[in-house]
Amino acid sequence: MTLVDSDSYYVAGYFEETKLSHIRPGVRVTIRVMGEDRPLSGHVEGRSAGIDDRERTTASGTLLANVNPTFSWVRLAQRIPVRIAIDKVPPGIDLIAGRTVTVTLNGAENALGPGRSE
């Protein structure tokens, strides 16, 4: 049996390290749940202080997020876990752990330039 505390839902977003300067606690976000037509509102609670690089061998049992940053031919920007609190859920939207969402930082169009919002 698995228990899920329905009062503790949050979004875990994985943002490129090149965008972190715009992601700070308190930044307002819009959350779009796949398959739902109404957005949710939220805010950044915090971001991970460290991640584990799979390309570098470390001791098993590490507690850091394990993010694979490379392919054999190119080095990609690391993805950093960001915890986002859900502030308001419109009536009729069921939150289910594991659903897919898209997160947009409010004002990202201005901060990142046209066509580069998260």
Side-chain angles (χ1 to χ4, degrees), residues 30-41 88-94:
T30 299
I31 304 162
R32 298 198 178 276
V33 180
M34 188 178 287
E36 300 289 349
D37 57 352
R38 292 171 292 162
L40 286 67
S41 62
K88 185 175 180 185
V89 179
I93 292 183
D94 292 326

PDB file of all heavy atoms in Angstrom, residues 30-41 88-94:
ATOM      1  N   THR A  30       3.528  29.919 -13.592  1.00  0.00           N
ATOM      2  CA  THR A  30       2.269  29.373 -14.092  1.00  0.00           C
ATOM      3  C   THR A  30       2.527  27.905 -14.396  1.00  0.00           C
ATOM      4  O   THR A  30       3.525  27.562 -15.033  1.00  0.00           O
ATOM      5  CB  THR A  30       1.813  30.110 -15.362  1.00  0.00           C
ATOM      6  OG1 THR A  30       1.620  31.492 -15.038  1.00  0.00           O
ATOM      7  CG2 THR A  30       0.518  29.529 -15.897  1.00  0.00           C
ATOM      8  N   ILE A  31       1.650  27.047 -13.916  1.00  0.00           N
ATOM      9  CA  ILE A  31       1.783  25.598 -14.070  1.00  0.00           C
ATOM     10  C   ILE A  31       0.647  25.097 -14.946  1.00  0.00           C
ATOM     11  O   ILE A  31      -0.525  25.357 -14.659  1.00  0.00           O
ATOM     12  CB  ILE A  31       1.718  24.901 -12.690  1.00  0.00           C
ATOM     13  CG1 ILE A  31       2.780  25.468 -11.751  1.00  0.00           C
ATOM     14  CG2 ILE A  31       1.844  23.391 -12.842  1.00  0.00           C
ATOM     15  CD1 ILE A  31       2.514  25.177 -10.289  1.00  0.00           C
ATOM     16  N   ARG A  32       1.003  24.409 -16.010  1.00  0.00           N
ATOM     17  CA  ARG A  32      -0.009  23.815 -16.899  1.00  0.00           C
ATOM     18  C   ARG A  32       0.106  22.298 -16.804  1.00  0.00           C
ATOM     19  O   ARG A  32       1.136  21.732 -17.139  1.00  0.00           O
ATOM     20  CB  ARG A  32       0.172  24.287 -18.325  1.00  0.00           C
ATOM     21  CG  ARG A  32      -0.007  25.784 -18.456  1.00  0.00           C
ATOM     22  CD  ARG A  32      -0.256  26.214 -19.875  1.00  0.00           C
ATOM     23  NE  ARG A  32      -0.466  27.651 -19.936  1.00  0.00           N
ATOM     24  CZ  ARG A  32      -1.612  28.271 -19.714  1.00  0.00           C
ATOM     25  NH1 ARG A  32      -2.688  27.577 -19.428  1.00  0.00           N
ATOM     26  NH2 ARG A  32      -1.702  29.573 -19.788  1.00  0.00           N
ATOM     27  N   VAL A  33      -0.958  21.682 -16.328  1.00  0.00           N
ATOM     28  CA  VAL A  33      -1.002  20.226 -16.180  1.00  0.00           C
ATOM     29  C   VAL A  33      -1.449  19.623 -17.510  1.00  0.00           C
ATOM     30  O   VAL A  33      -2.448  20.062 -18.092  1.00  0.00           O
ATOM     31  CB  VAL A  33      -1.976  19.813 -15.054  1.00  0.00           C
ATOM     32  CG1 VAL A  33      -2.013  18.297 -14.901  1.00  0.00           C
ATOM     33  CG2 VAL A  33      -1.606  20.480 -13.737  1.00  0.00           C
ATOM     34  N   MET A  34      -0.692  18.642 -17.998  1.00  0.00           N
ATOM     35  CA  MET A  34      -1.030  18.012 -19.266  1.00  0.00           C
ATOM     36  C   MET A  34      -2.449  17.449 -19.199  1.00  0.00           C
ATOM     37  O   MET A  34      -2.809  16.752 -18.247  1.00  0.00           O
ATOM     38  CB  MET A  34      -0.037  16.898 -19.598  1.00  0.00           C
ATOM     39  CG  MET A  34      -0.210  16.320 -20.990  1.00  0.00           C
ATOM     40  SD  MET A  34       1.007  15.058 -21.392  1.00  0.00           S
ATOM     41  CE  MET A  34       2.460  16.060 -21.620  1.00  0.00           C
ATOM     42  N   GLY A  35      -3.258  17.788 -20.198  1.00  0.00           N
ATOM     43  CA  GLY A  35      -4.627  17.294 -20.260  1.00  0.00           C
ATOM     44  C   GLY A  35      -5.645  18.187 -19.569  1.00  0.00           C
ATOM     45  O   GLY A  35      -6.837  17.914 -19.625  1.00  0.00           O
ATOM     46  N   GLU A  36      -5.195  19.256 -18.933  1.00  0.00           N
ATOM     47  CA  GLU A  36      -6.108  20.191 -18.266  1.00  0.00           C
ATOM     48  C   GLU A  36      -6.100  21.512 -19.027  1.00  0.00           C
ATOM     49  O   GLU A  36      -5.069  21.920 -19.560  1.00  0.00           O
ATOM     50  CB  GLU A  36      -5.675  20.437 -16.812  1.00  0.00           C
ATOM     51  CG  GLU A  36      -5.652  19.190 -15.952  1.00  0.00           C
ATOM     52  CD  GLU A  36      -7.024  18.642 -15.612  1.00  0.00           C
ATOM     53  OE1 GLU A  36      -8.033  19.346 -15.859  1.00  0.00           O
ATOM     54  OE2 GLU A  36      -7.105  17.528 -15.102  1.00  0.00           O
ATOM     55  N   ASP A  37      -7.247  22.202 -19.059  1.00  0.00           N
ATOM     56  CA  ASP A  37      -7.313  23.449 -19.814  1.00  0.00           C
ATOM     57  C   ASP A  37      -7.081  24.694 -18.970  1.00  0.00           C
ATOM     58  O   ASP A  37      -6.899  25.778 -19.505  1.00  0.00           O
ATOM     59  CB  ASP A  37      -8.653  23.559 -20.550  1.00  0.00           C
ATOM     60  CG  ASP A  37      -9.844  23.477 -19.623  1.00  0.00           C
ATOM     61  OD1 ASP A  37      -9.659  23.177 -18.435  1.00  0.00           O
ATOM     62  OD2 ASP A  37     -10.975  23.714 -20.092  1.00  0.00           O
ATOM     63  N   ARG A  38      -7.089  24.552 -17.654  1.00  0.00           N
ATOM     64  CA  ARG A  38      -6.889  25.716 -16.780  1.00  0.00           C
ATOM     65  C   ARG A  38      -5.534  25.632 -16.084  1.00  0.00           C
ATOM     66  O   ARG A  38      -5.143  24.579 -15.577  1.00  0.00           O
ATOM     67  CB  ARG A  38      -8.000  25.797 -15.741  1.00  0.00           C
ATOM     68  CG  ARG A  38      -9.335  26.124 -16.388  1.00  0.00           C
ATOM     69  CD  ARG A  38     -10.460  25.990 -15.415  1.00  0.00           C
ATOM     70  NE  ARG A  38     -10.587  24.552 -15.094  1.00  0.00           N
ATOM     71  CZ  ARG A  38     -11.214  24.070 -14.043  1.00  0.00           C
ATOM     72  NH1 ARG A  38     -11.781  24.873 -13.193  1.00  0.00           N
ATOM     73  NH2 ARG A  38     -11.281  22.772 -13.834  1.00  0.00           N
ATOM     74  N   PRO A  39      -4.802  26.764 -16.022  1.00  0.00           N
ATOM     75  CA  PRO A  39      -3.489  26.750 -15.371  1.00  0.00           C
ATOM     76  C   PRO A  39      -3.608  26.830 -13.853  1.00  0.00           C
ATOM     77  O   PRO A  39      -4.632  27.250 -13.311  1.00  0.00           O
ATOM     78  CB  PRO A  39      -2.816  27.998 -15.925  1.00  0.00           C
ATOM     79  CG  PRO A  39      -3.945  28.933 -16.205  1.00  0.00           C
ATOM     80  CD  PRO A  39      -5.099  28.046 -16.643  1.00  0.00           C
ATOM     81  N   LEU A  40      -2.552  26.429 -13.187  1.00  0.00           N
ATOM     82  CA  LEU A  40      -2.414  26.562 -11.744  1.00  0.00           C
ATOM     83  C   LEU A  40      -1.396  27.663 -11.493  1.00  0.00           C
ATOM     84  O   LEU A  40      -0.549  27.943 -12.346  1.00  0.00           O
ATOM     85  CB  LEU A  40      -1.900  25.265 -11.115  1.00  0.00           C
ATOM     86  CG  LEU A  40      -2.840  24.077 -10.989  1.00  0.00           C
ATOM     87  CD1 LEU A  40      -3.217  23.506 -12.323  1.00  0.00           C
ATOM     88  CD2 LEU A  40      -2.204  23.007 -10.138  1.00  0.00           C
ATOM     89  N   SER A  41      -1.473  28.271 -10.333  1.00  0.00           N
ATOM     90  CA  SER A  41      -0.473  29.267  -9.973  1.00  0.00           C
ATOM     91  C   SER A  41       0.414  28.699  -8.874  1.00  0.00           C
ATOM     92  O   SER A  41      -0.005  27.852  -8.090  1.00  0.00           O
ATOM     93  CB  SER A  41      -1.135  30.567  -9.517  1.00  0.00           C
ATOM     94  OG  SER A  41      -1.921  30.332  -8.366  1.00  0.00           O
ATOM     95  N   LYS A  88      -2.572  27.750  -5.917  1.00  0.00           N
ATOM     96  CA  LYS A  88      -4.016  27.693  -6.123  1.00  0.00           C
ATOM     97  C   LYS A  88      -4.345  26.648  -7.173  1.00  0.00           C
ATOM     98  O   LYS A  88      -3.754  26.621  -8.239  1.00  0.00           O
ATOM     99  CB  LYS A  88      -4.537  29.058  -6.567  1.00  0.00           C
ATOM    100  CG  LYS A  88      -6.034  29.119  -6.682  1.00  0.00           C
ATOM    101  CD  LYS A  88      -6.508  30.509  -7.012  1.00  0.00           C
ATOM    102  CE  LYS A  88      -8.028  30.511  -7.123  1.00  0.00           C
ATOM    103  NZ  LYS A  88      -8.552  31.788  -7.541  1.00  0.00           N
ATOM    104  N   VAL A  89      -5.289  25.778  -6.832  1.00  0.00           N
ATOM    105  CA  VAL A  89      -5.759  24.750  -7.756  1.00  0.00           C
ATOM    106  C   VAL A  89      -7.217  25.064  -8.088  1.00  0.00           C
ATOM    107  O   VAL A  89      -8.062  25.094  -7.196  1.00  0.00           O
ATOM    108  CB  VAL A  89      -5.652  23.340  -7.131  1.00  0.00           C
ATOM    109  CG1 VAL A  89      -6.165  22.293  -8.094  1.00  0.00           C
ATOM    110  CG2 VAL A  89      -4.225  23.047  -6.695  1.00  0.00           C
ATOM    111  N   PRO A  90      -7.523  25.326  -9.360  1.00  0.00           N
ATOM    112  CA  PRO A  90      -8.914  25.598  -9.730  1.00  0.00           C
ATOM    113  C   PRO A  90      -9.813  24.403  -9.399  1.00  0.00           C
ATOM    114  O   PRO A  90      -9.365  23.254  -9.456  1.00  0.00           O
ATOM    115  CB  PRO A  90      -8.850  25.810 -11.247  1.00  0.00           C
ATOM    116  CG  PRO A  90      -7.429  26.150 -11.545  1.00  0.00           C
ATOM    117  CD  PRO A  90      -6.628  25.410 -10.513  1.00  0.00           C
ATOM    118  N   PRO A  91     -11.072  24.658  -9.073  1.00  0.00           N
ATOM    119  CA  PRO A  91     -12.004  23.565  -8.792  1.00  0.00           C
ATOM    120  C   PRO A  91     -12.102  22.626  -9.993  1.00  0.00           C
ATOM    121  O   PRO A  91     -12.068  23.055 -11.140  1.00  0.00           O
ATOM    122  CB  PRO A  91     -13.336  24.265  -8.557  1.00  0.00           C
ATOM    123  CG  PRO A  91     -13.005  25.698  -8.329  1.00  0.00           C
ATOM    124  CD  PRO A  91     -11.692  25.973  -8.976  1.00  0.00           C
ATOM    125  N   GLY A  92     -12.187  21.339  -9.714  1.00  0.00           N
ATOM    126  CA  GLY A  92     -12.359  20.348 -10.761  1.00  0.00           C
ATOM    127  C   GLY A  92     -11.071  19.765 -11.309  1.00  0.00           C
ATOM    128  O   GLY A  92     -11.105  18.847 -12.119  1.00  0.00           O
ATOM    129  N   ILE A  93      -9.925  20.291 -10.905  1.00  0.00           N
ATOM    130  CA  ILE A  93      -8.644  19.718 -11.338  1.00  0.00           C
ATOM    131  C   ILE A  93      -8.155  18.775 -10.251  1.00  0.00           C
ATOM    132  O   ILE A  93      -7.986  19.172  -9.099  1.00  0.00           O
ATOM    133  CB  ILE A  93      -7.596  20.805 -11.629  1.00  0.00           C
ATOM    134  CG1 ILE A  93      -8.014  21.595 -12.856  1.00  0.00           C
ATOM    135  CG2 ILE A  93      -6.218  20.183 -11.840  1.00  0.00           C
ATOM    136  CD1 ILE A  93      -7.027  22.650 -13.297  1.00  0.00           C
ATOM    137  N   ASP A  94      -7.976  17.524 -10.630  1.00  0.00           N
ATOM    138  CA  ASP A  94      -7.484  16.526  -9.682  1.00  0.00           C
ATOM    139  C   ASP A  94      -5.963  16.453  -9.756  1.00  0.00           C
ATOM    140  O   ASP A  94      -5.398  16.211 -10.825  1.00  0.00           O
ATOM    141  CB  ASP A  94      -8.061  15.141 -10.011  1.00  0.00           C
ATOM    142  CG  ASP A  94      -9.551  15.067  -9.767  1.00  0.00           C
ATOM    143  OD1 ASP A  94     -10.028  15.723  -8.817  1.00  0.00           O
ATOM    144  OD2 ASP A  94     -10.229  14.358 -10.523  1.00  0.00           O
TER     145      ASP A  94
END
